Amino acid sequence: MERARFPMEFLRVTQGSNTGSHAGSKAMDFGGKDTGCDAVYAPFTGRVARVRTDSSHETYFESLEPVEFADGTVDYMTVTLMHDNVLDVRVGQVLHQGEKIGDEGGFGGGRPGRFGAHLHLEVSRGRGIAYQVRNAQGTYCTPQQIDVWAALWLGMDVQVLDGGGCPWKRDIKEDSDMKFLKVTSGKCEVFTAPDVNAVDKSYNGGKLTEGVCYPVQAEVGSSGGYSWVRIFVAGVQRYAAVLADRCQLVTLSPGDAFAACVAQGGSGDGAQELKAQLEAANARADAEACRADTEAQRADAAEKHAAETDKRLASAKEYVAEV
């Protein structure tokens, strides 16, 4: 089962819920890294249920299967995305978790550039709700809303610039499940998109470095007969085709995982946060091992006590028999 993920690489809240144009709504606005138009990715594997090419360029995306919410809920999920200047998705299109679904933008009132670039995001429980209703405050919003921070997990690749005071939850399970692309051949190419014609010549002549492990941000799925992953390469998001004779997906120890991430992403705040997460995962593993050892010791002690009791009982029976 997938955990629904926050759909951007940088989390910067520019307008919270129940304020201004979000009166009575749990919608939130996010500005990405800066004033540009950062990419937005599918938070889970799902289907584009509806696209509006007027108004605020609304895209309604619903999960194909129940997903795990950050608050522990398990249910279908629908996300509403607004303001992308150019809509690249179509109704009925299926996207896998981590595939690009659009960009933040400023489309509003039926025209681009109405607002500064941002992503308006709403999260609702359930599906079949690709429409807006007017609430008591006069705000139009998707039904069955829940708080964005209660719905979407933060992946390890998400850098929090401004969390808006919300209790975001990091996907700790991802620490131990995090995968890396280990390059086993100098022929392994790097791409700007999941397309064999999009070789990224700007990085090492279009080739990944043999022997290096690149952090996998998402397994994009299949396209053009190849299985694709989105990887982190020298501080930039890129793609690679998983070919058995050129590379393989592996897991690393927390220490090696941190080293691999720092090698590709630098040693800034994001890397330090990653280090903290990996150290926490290691500490939890140590604690679990300690707990298991304690339980084993208790079991051994109980077994010895039972054996001693049986021995005493046998001796008592022998004594009674002799008397």
Side-chain angles (χ1 to χ4, degrees):
M1 179 188 301
E2 291 180 340
R3 283 183 163 181
R5 298 275 185 82
F6 182 74
M8 302 177 73
E9 294 179 81
F10 296 89
L11 191 159
R12 181 168 62 88
V13 176
T14 56
Q15 183 179 347
S17 59
N18 197 31
T19 60
S21 60
H22 298 166
S25 170
K26 297 182 183 297
M28 298 183 73
D29 288 346
F30 300 93
K33 183 178 182 180
D34 46 37
T35 58
C37 294
D38 288 9
V40 177
Y41 305 96
F44 43 74
T45 299
R47 182 183 70 91
V48 179
R50 182 187 178 196
V51 176
R52 288 189 64 187
T53 57
D54 57 357
S55 187
S56 296
H57 266 192
E58 300 157 23
T59 297
Y60 298 87
F61 188 67
E62 59 185 25
S63 64
L64 294 181
E65 302 290 341
V67 297
E68 184 180 347
F69 292 52
D71 65 1
T73 298
V74 174
D75 201 348
Y76 291 96
M77 179 183 290
T78 296
V79 294
T80 304
L81 316 169
M82 295 187 188
H83 305 311
D84 188 347
N85 288 320
V86 180
L87 296 173
D88 296 321
V89 294
R90 63 184 184 281
V91 175
Q93 182 175 353
V94 173
L95 296 171
H96 293 86
Q97 185 180 58
E99 284 191 89
K100 185 177 178 181
I101 194 172
D103 298 279
E104 58 174 312
F107 196 97
R111 63 181 178 85
R114 173 75 183 278
F115 308 107
H118 69 284
L119 168 68
H120 173 100
L121 177 62
E122 302 175 30
V123 182
S124 298
R125 182 172 177 174
R127 57 181 178 176
I129 48 174
Y131 56 88
Q132 300 268 296
V133 295
R134 191 175 185 180
N135 64 21
Q137 288 75 27
T139 304
Y140 285 91
C141 49
T142 309
Q144 301 170 200
Q145 287 186 329
I146 67 170
D147 290 305
V148 177
W149 50 265
L152 302 180
W153 299 83
L154 301 186
M156 290 178 64
D157 57 321
V158 176
Q159 295 187 42
V160 179
L161 303 181
D162 183 350
C166 301
W168 299 97
K169 192 170 183 179
R170 186 71 69 170
D171 188 356
I172 300 300
K173 186 178 73 171
E174 185 183 327
D175 290 342
S176 58
D177 295 344
M178 187 175 184
K179 295 181 180 179
F180 292 80
L181 185 75
K182 183 176 182 180
V183 179
T184 57
S185 168
K187 296 180 180 180
C188 190
E189 294 179 303
V190 61
F191 305 86
T192 57
D195 181 347
V196 293
N197 296 312
V199 178
D200 183 12
K201 296 292 187 179
S202 66
Y203 177 78
N204 195 34
K207 302 292 178 61
L208 294 173
T209 305
E210 185 174 355
V212 172
C213 291
Y214 296 88
V216 173
Q217 294 180 309
E219 294 184 62
V220 176
S222 299
S223 177
Y226 297 92
S227 294
W228 294 89
V229 290
R230 191 172 87 232
I231 57 178
F232 205 51
V233 182
V236 179
Q237 172 190 289
R238 287 293 182 263
Y239 296 84
V242 183
L243 300 172
D245 62 335
R246 299 183 182 185
C247 56
Q248 58 182 303
L249 294 176
V250 299
T251 57
L252 302 175
S253 68
D256 288 342
F258 173 67
C261 290
V262 169
Q264 298 305 321
S267 56
D269 293 339
Q272 293 305 315
E273 181 180 2
L274 173 62
K275 180 180 180 181
Q277 294 295 325
L278 292 170
E279 289 178 343
N282 206 22
R284 285 193 300 277
D286 289 343
E288 181 62 25
C290 182
R291 185 193 66 77
D293 287 343
T294 300
E295 290 297 325
Q297 291 174 4
R298 289 177 179 174
D300 289 343
E303 185 176 349
K304 289 179 180 178
H305 178 71
E308 186 65 27
T309 300
D310 289 343
K311 183 177 180 181
R312 290 177 180 176
L313 180 60
S315 297
K317 288 181 178 179
E318 289 178 2
Y319 174 75
V320 171
E322 291 175 357
V323 172

